[in-house]
Protein backbone atom coordinates (compact mmCIF):
# COMPACT_ATOMS: atom_id res chain seq x y z
CA UNK A 1 0.00 0.00 0.00
CA UNK A 2 0.82 3.72 -0.04
CA UNK A 3 2.21 3.86 -3.56
CA UNK A 4 2.97 7.17 -5.22
CA UNK A 5 3.69 7.46 -8.92
CA UNK A 6 5.10 10.26 -11.03
CA UNK A 7 4.87 10.88 -14.72
CA UNK A 8 6.95 11.29 -16.73
CA UNK A 9 10.01 9.67 -15.22
CA UNK A 10 12.25 11.81 -17.38
CA UNK A 11 11.75 14.63 -19.83
CA UNK A 12 13.96 16.66 -22.14
CA UNK A 13 12.64 19.98 -23.40
CA UNK A 14 13.80 23.08 -25.16
CA UNK A 15 14.45 26.28 -23.27
CA UNK A 16 11.33 28.43 -23.06
CA UNK A 17 8.82 25.61 -23.12
CA UNK A 18 6.63 24.44 -20.24
CA UNK A 19 6.71 21.01 -18.69
CA UNK A 20 4.02 19.36 -16.58
CA UNK A 21 4.81 16.67 -14.03
CA UNK A 22 2.08 14.57 -12.45
CA UNK A 23 2.11 13.04 -8.99
CA UNK A 24 -0.50 10.44 -8.11
CA UNK A 25 -1.28 8.52 -4.95
CA UNK A 26 -2.42 5.17 -6.34
CA UNK A 27 -4.04 3.44 -3.40
CA UNK A 28 -4.84 6.15 -0.91
CA UNK A 29 -6.20 9.65 -0.72
CA UNK A 30 -3.50 12.14 0.15
CA UNK A 31 -4.53 15.10 2.23
CA UNK A 32 -1.28 16.85 1.43
CA UNK A 33 1.30 16.55 -1.33
CA UNK A 34 4.75 18.03 -1.35
CA UNK A 35 7.10 18.94 -4.19
CA UNK A 36 10.86 18.76 -3.84
CA UNK A 37 13.77 19.60 -6.10
CA UNK A 38 17.11 17.86 -5.87
CA UNK A 39 20.22 19.03 -7.70
CA UNK A 40 23.10 16.57 -8.23
CA UNK A 41 24.85 15.60 -5.01
CA UNK A 42 22.58 17.84 -2.96
CA UNK A 43 19.73 17.34 -0.54
CA UNK A 44 16.02 17.48 -1.25
CA UNK A 45 14.77 21.04 -1.07
CA UNK A 46 11.10 21.55 -0.40
CA UNK A 47 9.51 23.75 -3.04
CA UNK A 48 5.88 23.82 -1.98
CA UNK A 49 3.16 22.16 0.03
CA UNK A 50 -0.06 21.39 -1.77
CA UNK A 51 -3.48 20.73 -0.24
CA UNK A 52 -6.41 19.56 -2.30
CA UNK A 53 -8.71 22.38 -3.31
CA UNK A 54 -6.55 25.18 -2.00
CA UNK A 55 -3.60 27.20 -3.16
CA UNK A 56 -0.15 25.76 -2.66
CA UNK A 57 2.15 27.17 -0.03
CA UNK A 58 5.53 27.96 -1.55
CA UNK A 59 8.85 27.99 0.25
CA UNK A 60 10.89 31.14 0.37
CA UNK A 61 12.74 31.73 -2.87
CA UNK A 62 10.48 29.54 -5.01
CA UNK A 63 8.64 31.52 -7.69
CA UNK A 64 4.98 30.57 -7.66
CA UNK A 65 4.44 31.96 -11.17
CA UNK A 66 7.22 29.79 -12.54
CA UNK A 67 6.36 26.60 -10.69
CA UNK A 68 2.60 26.23 -10.98
CA UNK A 69 1.03 23.66 -8.70
CA UNK A 70 -2.46 22.34 -9.09
CA UNK A 71 -3.97 19.89 -6.64
CA UNK A 72 -7.24 19.01 -8.32
CA UNK A 73 -8.11 15.91 -6.33
CA UNK A 74 -7.02 13.88 -3.33
CA UNK A 75 -4.98 11.62 -5.60
CA UNK A 76 -3.42 14.02 -8.11
CA UNK A 77 -1.13 17.02 -7.92
CA UNK A 78 0.66 18.55 -10.89
CA UNK A 79 3.74 20.73 -11.09
CA UNK A 80 4.20 22.82 -14.21
CA UNK A 81 7.60 24.36 -14.85
CA UNK A 82 6.79 27.35 -17.03
CA UNK A 83 9.25 28.85 -19.50
CA UNK A 84 11.88 26.33 -18.46
CA UNK A 85 15.54 27.27 -18.63
CA UNK A 86 18.70 25.12 -18.32
CA UNK A 87 19.05 26.09 -14.64
CA UNK A 88 15.70 24.40 -13.99
CA UNK A 89 17.23 21.05 -14.94
CA UNK A 90 16.93 18.93 -11.84
CA UNK A 91 15.35 15.89 -10.22
CA UNK A 92 11.81 16.71 -9.09
CA UNK A 93 10.27 14.45 -6.46
CA UNK A 94 6.78 14.56 -5.00
CA UNK A 95 5.54 13.01 -1.81
CA UNK A 96 2.09 12.39 -0.41
CA UNK A 97 0.85 12.30 3.14
CA UNK A 98 -2.16 10.68 4.75
CA UNK A 99 -2.17 13.32 7.41
CA UNK A 100 0.38 11.77 9.74
CA UNK A 101 4.09 12.47 9.71
CA UNK A 102 4.80 9.70 7.22
CA UNK A 103 5.36 10.83 3.66
CA UNK A 104 5.42 8.48 0.69
CA UNK A 105 7.73 9.54 -2.09
CA UNK A 106 7.25 9.25 -5.82
CA UNK A 107 10.05 7.85 -8.00
CA UNK A 108 11.04 11.29 -9.22
CA UNK A 109 11.15 13.05 -12.58
CA UNK A 110 14.43 13.98 -14.15
CA UNK A 111 14.12 17.21 -16.15
CA UNK A 112 16.73 18.31 -18.64
CA UNK A 113 16.26 21.68 -20.31
CA UNK A 114 18.39 22.25 -23.39
CA UNK B 1 14.52 29.14 11.67
CA UNK B 2 14.06 25.70 10.26
CA UNK B 3 17.43 23.98 10.04
CA UNK B 4 18.85 20.48 10.20
CA UNK B 5 22.60 20.03 10.17
CA UNK B 6 24.08 16.69 9.21
CA UNK B 7 27.62 15.35 9.33
CA UNK B 8 29.80 13.94 8.04
CA UNK B 9 29.10 14.69 4.40
CA UNK B 10 31.03 11.59 3.33
CA UNK B 11 31.87 8.47 5.27
CA UNK B 12 33.90 5.45 4.22
CA UNK B 13 34.00 2.37 6.44
CA UNK B 14 35.36 -1.12 6.12
CA UNK B 15 32.78 -3.79 5.46
CA UNK B 16 31.66 -5.23 8.78
CA UNK B 17 32.47 -2.09 10.75
CA UNK B 18 29.91 0.36 12.13
CA UNK B 19 28.87 3.70 10.67
CA UNK B 20 27.46 6.64 12.61
CA UNK B 21 25.80 9.71 11.13
CA UNK B 22 24.79 12.65 13.31
CA UNK B 23 22.26 15.43 12.97
CA UNK B 24 21.23 18.45 14.97
CA UNK B 25 18.05 20.44 14.65
CA UNK B 26 16.90 23.87 15.71
CA UNK B 27 13.16 23.69 16.39
CA UNK B 28 12.51 22.45 19.91
CA UNK B 29 8.92 21.65 18.89
CA UNK B 30 10.07 18.99 16.42
CA UNK B 31 8.76 15.59 17.48
CA UNK B 32 9.40 13.23 14.59
CA UNK B 33 12.78 12.27 13.16
CA UNK B 34 12.96 10.00 10.10
CA UNK B 35 16.02 8.71 8.31
CA UNK B 36 16.05 8.08 4.59
CA UNK B 37 18.32 6.09 2.31
CA UNK B 38 18.62 7.22 -1.29
CA UNK B 39 20.35 5.26 -4.01
CA UNK B 40 21.50 7.05 -7.13
CA UNK B 41 18.60 8.28 -9.24
CA UNK B 42 15.94 6.79 -6.98
CA UNK B 43 13.44 8.01 -4.44
CA UNK B 44 14.33 8.35 -0.75
CA UNK B 45 13.31 5.32 1.27
CA UNK B 46 12.40 5.52 4.92
CA UNK B 47 14.65 3.16 6.85
CA UNK B 48 13.87 4.06 10.43
CA UNK B 49 12.21 6.82 12.41
CA UNK B 50 11.89 7.90 16.01
CA UNK B 51 9.45 10.03 17.90
CA UNK B 52 10.31 12.39 20.69
CA UNK B 53 8.83 10.24 23.43
CA UNK B 54 11.60 7.64 23.09
CA UNK B 55 15.37 7.89 23.21
CA UNK B 56 16.38 4.93 21.09
CA UNK B 57 14.92 2.61 18.49
CA UNK B 58 16.48 -0.40 16.82
CA UNK B 59 15.63 -2.44 13.76
CA UNK B 60 18.09 -5.25 13.09
CA UNK B 61 21.40 -3.60 12.09
CA UNK B 62 20.01 -0.07 12.19
CA UNK B 63 19.43 2.04 15.28
CA UNK B 64 18.57 5.66 15.93
CA UNK B 65 19.17 7.61 19.12
CA UNK B 66 17.60 10.91 20.11
CA UNK B 67 18.72 13.47 22.65
CA UNK B 68 15.96 16.07 22.83
CA UNK B 69 17.75 18.22 25.35
CA UNK B 70 20.74 18.62 23.08
CA UNK B 71 18.62 18.49 19.90
CA UNK B 72 20.78 15.70 18.50
CA UNK B 73 19.84 12.48 16.79
CA UNK B 74 22.05 9.84 15.23
CA UNK B 75 21.87 6.87 12.90
CA UNK B 76 23.93 3.80 13.70
CA UNK B 77 24.52 1.02 11.20
CA UNK B 78 26.32 -2.06 12.50
CA UNK B 79 27.96 -4.89 10.55
CA UNK B 80 27.94 -2.80 7.40
CA UNK B 81 27.50 -4.51 4.07
CA UNK B 82 28.17 -3.36 0.48
CA UNK B 83 24.45 -2.77 -0.09
CA UNK B 84 24.51 -0.16 2.65
CA UNK B 85 26.41 2.14 0.28
CA UNK B 86 24.07 5.06 -0.50
CA UNK B 87 23.29 8.61 0.54
CA UNK B 88 21.56 8.92 3.89
CA UNK B 89 19.43 11.88 4.91
CA UNK B 90 18.19 12.77 8.33
CA UNK B 91 15.06 14.86 8.57
CA UNK B 92 12.66 16.40 10.98
CA UNK B 93 9.06 17.42 10.81
CA UNK B 94 8.29 20.96 11.81
CA UNK B 95 4.94 20.40 13.46
CA UNK B 96 3.77 23.93 12.91
CA UNK B 97 3.85 23.42 9.16
CA UNK B 98 3.84 19.61 8.91
CA UNK B 99 6.68 19.71 6.42
CA UNK B 100 9.86 17.67 6.29
CA UNK B 101 13.16 19.48 6.38
CA UNK B 102 16.07 17.33 5.22
CA UNK B 103 19.67 17.36 6.32
CA UNK B 104 22.37 17.84 3.73
CA UNK B 105 23.05 14.14 3.34
CA UNK B 106 25.89 11.71 4.03
CA UNK B 107 27.42 9.66 1.26
CA UNK B 108 28.30 6.31 2.83
CA UNK B 109 30.74 4.02 1.08
CA UNK B 110 31.47 0.51 2.28
CA UNK B 111 34.96 -0.73 1.44
CA UNK B 112 35.22 -4.46 0.68
Amino acid sequence: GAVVSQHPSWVICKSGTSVKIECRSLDFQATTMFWYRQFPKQSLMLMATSNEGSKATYEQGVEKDKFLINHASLTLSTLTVTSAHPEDSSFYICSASLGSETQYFGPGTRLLVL
Amino acid sequence: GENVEQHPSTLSVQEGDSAVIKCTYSDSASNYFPWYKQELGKRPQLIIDIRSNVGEKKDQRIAVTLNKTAKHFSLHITETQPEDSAVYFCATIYSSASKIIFGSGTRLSIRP
Side-chain angles (χ1 to χ4, degrees):
Chain A
V3 177
V4 176
S5 70
Q6 273 183 249
H7 178 80
S9 57
W10 60 271
V11 57
I12 302 174
C13 70
K14 292 182 179 180
S15 184
T17 60
S18 294
V19 175
K20 180 185 285 189
I21 303 170
E22 292 185 349
C23 177
R24 293 182 184 271
S25 55
L26 298 184
D27 52 0
F28 68 100
Q29 293 184 325
T31 55
T32 306
M33 288 185 171
F34 303 84
W35 287 96
Y36 297 85
R37 182 169 50 182
Q38 186 177 31
F39 292 110
K41 298 186 178 181
Q42 294 189 22
S43 186
L44 284 80
M45 299 301 298
L46 180 66
M47 299 175 67
T49 302
S50 171
N51 291 293
E52 185 264 340
S54 62
K55 291 184 178 179
T57 301
Y58 290 82
E59 293 300 299
Q60 191 173 9
V62 178
E63 299 175 55
K64 62 179 181 180
D65 294 330
K66 179 170 182 63
F67 299 100
L68 301 178
I69 292 174
N70 183 276
H71 196 154
S73 74
L74 286 171
T75 59
L76 173 64
S77 176
T78 61
L79 168 68
T80 301
V81 183
T82 62
S83 187
H85 290 285
E87 57 266 30
D88 298 324
S89 299
S90 188
F91 192 48
Y92 292 86
I93 305 176
C94 71
S95 70
S97 169
L98 282 160
S100 66
E101 304 99 342
T102 305
Q103 292 188 19
Y104 302 94
F105 286 88
T109 297
R110 190 162 300 282
L111 171 63
L112 176 61
V113 184
L114 300 176
Chain B
E2 305 152 350
N3 188 39
V4 179
E5 294 188 1
Q6 181 173 347
H7 59 94
S9 57
T10 60
L11 180 60
S12 178
V13 302
Q14 192 75 35
E15 182 177 351
D17 289 349
S18 297
V20 180
I21 303 170
K22 299 181 179 181
C23 287
T24 61
Y25 60 98
S26 58
D27 185 359
S28 57
S30 296
N31 55 15
Y32 177 65
F33 307 90
W35 284 89
Y36 293 89
K37 175 183 180 182
Q38 187 181 30
E39 297 179 352
L40 187 63
K42 296 188 177 179
R43 76 186 87 192
Q45 290 187 313
L46 179 68
I47 57 172
I48 196 167
D49 56 13
I50 192 169
R51 288 179 169 77
S52 59
N53 57 345
V54 298
E56 183 174 359
K57 183 178 178 181
K58 190 173 182 180
D59 182 4
Q60 299 182 353
R61 296 187 296 109
I62 296 173
V64 57
T65 60
L66 171 64
N67 183 330
K68 281 218 73 176
T69 302
K71 298 181 188 174
H72 290 170
F73 58 114
S74 300
L75 177 71
H76 304 253
I77 305 174
T78 58
E79 302 173 24
T80 53
Q81 300 170 4
E83 54 265 35
D84 294 331
S85 295
V87 179
Y88 291 81
F89 293 98
C90 64
T92 185
I93 297 279
Y94 281 82
S95 56
S96 61
S98 298
K99 58 185 183 182
I100 290 181
I101 301 298
F102 285 85
S104 53
T106 297
R107 185 172 300 276
L108 175 63
S109 301
I110 307 301
R111 303 191 303 271

